[in-house]
Amino acid sequence: MSRKYKFLDQQQAYFVSFAVINWIDVFTRKTYNDILVDSLRYCQLQKGLMLYAWCIMPSHVHLIIGTRKDPMQNILRDFKSFTSRTIRKEIIKHPKESRRKWMLSMMTNAGINNGNNKDWQFWQQNNHPIELSSNLIIDQKLEYLHLNPVVAGYVESPEQWLFSSAKDYYGQKGLLDIELIY
């Protein structure tokens, strides 16, 4: 793995993105989004995750994070592991999941074909952390993260997207407590 894709300085904020395998649009149901939101909140309270900004898109997640306690790579590893298992259970039991068989098949095939997994893979394995070492980079990543739902055509303005910290940056209260970064 390249050094540029590691958390080199635990004192810095980082932009990270990660996607569901094959870019499957899993996060079109509120229940799956809620699992991610609850897990982020848990990581904030129990693992020292500093959450500066976040956005859950249908197939991927963007975060700007830091840490007060556990190393960021460990927080993300645990977050991805827990949400993978929990969302799998929810997909299996969700009464209205019309794509259940297809999604489970895709995730099973991805797991079988990846030597790092036994029989299941939900998340792609990369996070590609980008250190936010200047105000310019912070501004670019913050704007990119919050404009993602607008550019995708889901909403007209960033603060309309429920599963994002954009509301917080527009003076409203979002779903998670965040630390504003400017």
Side-chain angles (χ1 to χ4, degrees):
M1 178 184 283
S2 169
R3 285 180 51 85
K4 73 177 183 175
Y5 292 131
K6 293 184 179 180
F7 295 100
L8 298 176
D9 183 354
Q10 296 292 321
Q11 304 302 311
Q12 284 283 7
Y14 282 82
F15 172 84
V16 293
S17 290
F18 44 95
V20 177
I21 55 103
N22 299 319
W23 293 86
I24 298 171
D25 286 340
V26 173
F27 303 109
T28 56
R29 296 195 185 278
K30 185 177 181 305
T31 186
Y32 305 144
N33 285 284
D34 290 343
I35 291 168
L36 294 186
V37 170
D38 291 344
S39 297
L40 286 169
R41 187 176 294 113
Y42 175 86
C43 289
Q44 287 177 293
L45 297 172
Q46 301 300 319
K47 296 180 175 287
L49 175 68
M50 297 168 65
L51 190 59
Y52 298 108
W54 62 283
C55 182
I56 301 171
M57 294 295 290
S59 63
H60 60 285
V61 175
H62 300 295
L63 305 172
I64 296 179
I65 61 171
T67 184
R68 286 188 178 88
K69 186 177 166 189
D70 295 358
M72 283 181 266
Q73 62 271 19
N74 293 359
I75 294 171
L76 279 181
R77 177 201 62 215
D78 295 349
F79 172 84
K80 289 173 75 174
S81 176
F82 176 80
T83 56
S84 174
R85 290 189 317 273
T86 305
I87 292 169
R88 178 184 187 180
K89 291 175 189 172
E90 188 62 30
I91 290 170
I92 290 169
K93 75 174 192 174
H94 196 288
K96 295 182 181 178
E97 186 52 76
S98 60
R99 303 176 305 154
R100 176 184 302 115
K101 186 175 180 180
W102 173 76
M103 285 194 296
L104 293 174
S105 173
M106 295 287 284
M107 293 170 188
T108 298
N109 287 339
I112 290 170
N113 291 316
N114 184 330
N116 295 324
N117 298 313
K118 293 180 185 174
D119 62 352
W120 168 264
Q121 184 173 347
F122 182 83
W123 296 110
Q124 294 179 21
Q125 289 187 268
N126 50 17
N127 302 314
H128 289 218
I130 298 171
E131 185 177 313
L132 303 183
S133 57
S134 73
N135 288 337
L136 177 64
I137 296 172
I138 291 169
D139 291 344
Q140 287 174 342
K141 296 305 179 187
L142 194 58
E143 181 178 13
Y144 172 80
L145 181 150
H146 286 143
L147 285 177
N148 217 229
V150 177
V151 172
Y154 297 126
V155 292
E156 291 183 9
S157 62
E159 70 275 15
Q160 293 175 325
W161 192 248
L162 178 63
F163 293 101
S164 153
S165 57
K167 285 184 184 217
D168 299 284
Y169 282 88
Y170 282 82
Q172 303 169 35
K173 178 65 180 114
L175 295 176
L176 289 166
D177 291 332
I178 65 159
E179 299 181 39
L180 297 175
I181 188 171
Y182 290 105

